Amino acid sequence: MLARQRQEVILDEVRRTGAVQVGDLVQRLGVSDMTIRRDLDALARRGLVEKVYGGATSTIGTSTDEPGFEAKSVRQLTEKEAIAALAAEQIQPGTAIGLSAGTTTWTLARQLDEIPDLTIVTNSVRVADALQQRGRVDRTVVLTGGVRTPSDALVGPVAVQSLRSLHLDLVFLGVHGMAPRAGFTTPNLNESETNRAFAEAAGRLVVVADSSKWSTVGISTIVDFDEVDLLISDQGLPPEARELLGEHVELLLADQQPTEEEE
């Protein structure tokens, strides 16, 4: 298969699923790891894909573009792990917490094994699955109903109604973007309403967002900076963002440790 043909196959897969992994493409196309990486480099130079650790994702476009869960799950992996670890330190045993949909909150869900007696409310199928797989008998997991989005969030009137009857000690909110004037945003109008219900249920509201979200703006604001108690991001957040955000919200920046391949 010629390079142009391989790249067309790769691009079709990115457009269909939102993301590709190098290992999967090696098996599918029967070529070397290095060949696939050169193909991804060529597509990235043309602006057709965005290279990430271990593969590539679709490029981010307008304020209504909503990448799927798989596309987002391969972006900023070390940052999300570090942010999740710092977020887990905020949780006390025996509390009720909320986890909105998103790959950072999903990463956090997988780091809660050392915290006993939690009640966890989520509108994310992925988060609920991750929690149930851990097999903790001292944990209650509540999954809201709703209509499923490309990012595997359950949204809409059923989800909103479920959340408005709850009072949670802590809510961890994942976002699509954060920017001056726009605040914390999402590209999905229904998800915005559901996440606002999460925020209203929170005794303390914590946004978990890696530094790549800075200056990204979705179509709908979830909450303004002043409405958030704590933002957990990473050291990649630029100085001007730190200064601006620090005027409105408590800010914690996680130190991420690169993997051997990233080094």
Side-chain angles (χ1 to χ4, degrees):
M1 185 181 291
L2 299 175
R4 178 180 56 79
Q5 294 173 308
R6 285 195 312 271
Q7 291 166 20
E8 288 177 355
V9 171
I10 293 169
L11 189 56
D12 284 344
E13 185 67 11
V14 170
R15 287 169 173 165
R16 185 178 69 84
T17 65
V20 290
Q21 298 278 357
V22 170
D24 293 339
L25 293 172
V26 167
Q27 292 184 353
R28 177 175 175 179
L29 298 175
V31 294
S32 70
D33 178 284
M34 187 59 65
T35 296
I36 294 297
R37 293 184 186 279
R38 283 198 296 266
D39 287 337
L40 295 179
D41 284 338
L43 291 170
R45 285 194 298 270
R46 293 161 59 193
L48 299 175
V49 302
E50 179 181 349
K51 284 197 69 180
V52 296
Y53 175 63
T57 69
S58 59
T59 54
I60 298 174
T62 68
S63 62
T64 58
D65 285 342
E66 183 175 12
F69 185 91
E70 298 298 340
K72 293 190 291 186
S73 68
V74 295
R75 295 173 177 169
Q76 285 74 46
L77 297 179
T78 55
E79 290 88 343
K80 289 174 182 176
E81 291 285 350
I83 289 168
L86 194 54
E89 295 177 4
Q90 313 302 312
I91 304 172
Q92 296 297 318
T95 53
I97 68 171
L99 297 179
S100 77
T103 52
T104 309
T105 49
W106 172 74
T107 304
L108 172 57
R110 300 161 65 206
Q111 296 194 16
L112 299 182
D113 282 353
E114 301 304 315
I115 308 173
D117 301 319
L118 291 178
T119 297
I120 304 168
V121 178
T122 184
N123 69 322
S124 167
V125 176
R126 301 279 187 149
V127 168
D129 285 345
L131 292 168
Q132 295 288 13
Q133 288 171 9
R134 316 307 276 193
R136 291 287 301 243
V137 297
D138 62 340
R139 174 183 293 164
T140 300
V141 179
V142 179
L143 178 64
T144 70
V147 178
R148 200 164 180 167
T149 72
S151 60
D152 283 343
L154 298 179
V155 301
V158 174
V160 170
Q161 187 60 36
S162 299
L163 293 168
R164 282 182 175 163
S165 64
L166 300 177
H167 305 280
L168 303 171
D169 298 302
L170 271 173
V171 166
F172 294 91
L173 190 66
V175 299
H176 175 76
M178 49 183 173
R181 294 187 297 279
F184 298 103
T185 61
T186 173
N188 187 297
L189 291 171
N190 286 326
E191 189 165 3
S192 179
E193 183 181 11
T194 303
N195 282 345
R196 278 196 288 270
F198 252 127
E200 291 168 2
R204 181 170 169 81
L205 181 60
V206 181
V207 169
V208 286
D210 67 78
S211 57
S212 72
K213 305 293 179 68
W214 180 250
S215 292
T216 297
V217 179
I219 191 172
S220 181
T221 296
I222 305 168
V223 287
D224 293 325
F225 293 157
D226 288 333
E227 297 177 84
V228 173
D229 296 295
L230 172 64
L231 169 63
I232 304 178
S233 189
D234 60 77
Q235 296 292 336
L237 198 66
E240 66 272 16
R242 300 184 192 192
E243 181 178 357
L244 188 150
L245 287 163
E247 296 174 358
H248 300 274
V249 59
E250 181 184 355
L251 180 63
L252 292 180
L253 300 179
D255 289 309
Q256 63 269 25
Q257 297 298 320
T259 64
E260 292 182 2
E261 185 169 338
E262 288 177 313
E263 292 175 340

